[in-house]
Amino acid sequence: MVNRDEGQVYTIEGIAASVLLVITVYTVLSTTTILTPGDTHIIDLHLEQTGNDVLAVMDTPDYYSDISGTYNESALAFSIRTGDEAGFGSQFSTLADTTTLPDHPDRIKYNATVYYRNATSGQVEGHPFGGDLYRRENAVKVTRWVYLDGSAPLPGYLDPRSQSVLLEVLLWR
Amino acid sequence: MDRESGQWIILMSMILCVGIFFLAVILNQSILVGQTTAESALEFPKSDIHDLRAEVYTISRTPAGTCPECFRDLTNISLERKNAVIYVANNSGTWTIHYDNGVTSYEETIGYWDF
């Protein structure tokens, strides 16, 4: 007689606990799925920063002729002017390599294109500048303005004048 | 005595579940913060502006000291490839840089290159 309503307490306990467990499990599971895009963004950010830094280093002249710092051709401008795709590729890969072991190189892949303005047609045109075959992987794009001095001979696809070209590099792992 | 012990179990389970729930919410929010930070850092054209400035500096160091054709290159190529409006001018030694990609705009007038 005394214990007639004991069951109600246990029923309430069971319902409350199961509802809270379901909410908790749902929240934990949905938290884990959100983790992936956040992670990808941070990796993309890192890769983009690395690529921009590498291009900035390559576009900085190795020396200055005097204290006023007059123009000297950078390694990057030299590669584009002479059409040395292999030289650009090896220097870029060496600088972009984040590992210290020479026999285990980082697997950063790239594909480069030089964009320039054709003064006669007024169009912006692209010229491939070496790299790996891009097959729609998750990639980031880094760019660098490169000044080419018209006093030196330029490759055939460029107008024979001093000009700024845009080097676009697609990076992926 | 035995009749009331169920209430303690309910109370304890509720406290525990609410605690775990709030921890999960905090974890959830922290990942969202990481994503938005990375996104806004990716979106902000820090490198583009650095790069443009370095290019204008390089042009200013050339033997000719200026290059009107290069300014046209910068404007046209950037509009076509980078969706950004760039205008660079050099009037009697004063350099003007204008950059706008629709979200971020940047203006600078340089009288003397000291970096």
Side-chain angles (χ1 to χ4, degrees):
Chain A
M1 288 295 271
V2 177
N3 290 340
R4 264 200 314 168
D5 10 79
E6 209 171 84
Q8 293 174 9
V9 178
Y10 285 119
T11 310
I12 293 168
E13 180 195 348
I15 289 171
S18 61
V19 165
L20 283 167
L21 273 174
V22 165
I23 292 172
T24 311
V25 165
Y26 172 76
T27 314
V28 167
L29 285 181
S30 63
T31 306
T32 328
T33 37
I34 289 175
L35 194 83
T36 325
D39 238 20
T40 321
H41 275 85
I42 293 164
I43 291 167
D44 283 355
L45 180 65
H46 187 208
L47 194 59
E48 190 178 310
Q49 188 65 58
T50 308
N52 272 317
D53 285 353
V54 167
L55 289 182
V57 166
M58 289 176 73
D59 196 28
T60 305
D62 289 341
Y63 64 97
Y64 287 94
S65 51
D66 57 30
I67 202 160
S68 66
T70 49
Y71 172 73
N72 267 300
E73 196 172 46
S74 65
L76 191 54
F78 177 80
S79 300
I80 293 175
R81 189 171 62 72
T82 54
D84 185 10
E85 295 176 9
F88 164 75
S90 73
Q91 195 184 359
F92 185 87
S93 300
T94 309
L95 287 169
D97 201 339
T98 53
T99 67
T100 51
L101 301 167
D103 50 341
H104 295 293
D106 202 356
R107 300 188 60 79
I108 293 181
K109 298 211 188 310
Y110 79 96
N111 187 294
T113 313
V114 175
Y115 285 93
Y116 58 95
R117 184 174 63 95
N118 186 328
T120 44
S121 69
Q123 297 290 312
V124 173
E125 294 165 6
H127 187 264
F129 198 61
D132 307 278
L133 187 60
Y134 177 60
R135 294 194 186 88
R136 303 253 162 217
E137 289 93 346
N138 179 38
V140 295
K141 191 172 77 175
V142 294
T143 60
R144 182 81 192 174
W145 292 106
V146 182
Y147 173 79
L148 298 174
D149 202 74
S151 57
L154 294 174
Y157 62 89
L158 295 173
D159 295 337
R161 60 180 168 90
S162 294
Q163 59 193 296
S164 293
V165 297
L166 185 71
L167 179 71
E168 284 192 8
V169 182
L170 212 55
L171 282 177
W172 70 95
R173 284 185 198 272
Chain B
M1 286 299 274
D2 226 19
R3 280 196 305 164
E4 293 169 13
S5 65
Q7 294 176 14
W8 285 109
I9 296 171
I10 291 177
L11 193 64
M12 282 303 152
S13 66
M14 277 186 72
I15 290 169
L16 273 176
C17 287
V18 167
I20 294 171
F21 182 81
F22 274 108
L23 283 179
V25 167
I26 288 167
L27 197 65
N28 197 329
Q29 293 299 310
S30 75
I31 286 149
L32 204 65
V33 165
Q35 186 183 353
T36 33
T37 310
E39 265 177 358
S40 55
L42 277 169
E43 226 168 75
F44 187 70
K46 177 193 76 174
S47 303
D48 289 354
I49 293 170
H50 272 158
D51 184 17
L52 175 64
R53 217 172 171 279
E55 180 71 3
V56 175
Y57 177 74
T58 306
I59 291 170
S60 79
R61 296 290 103 180
T62 56
T66 187
C67 177
E69 282 293 307
C70 297
F71 302 157
R72 252 164 250 146
D73 291 336
L74 291 173
T75 305
N76 285 4
I77 298 172
S78 127
L79 203 57
E80 188 103 355
R81 299 298 313 167
K82 298 181 72 69
N83 300 320
V85 176
I86 288 179
Y87 176 75
V88 179
N90 175 25
N91 293 316
S92 58
T94 303
W95 296 79
T96 318
I97 299 174
H98 167 90
Y99 174 96
D100 195 333
N101 72 352
V103 179
T104 309
S105 100
Y106 172 81
E107 317 277 340
E108 186 175 12
T109 308
I110 304 152
Y112 175 71
W113 285 97
D114 57 355
F115 261 76

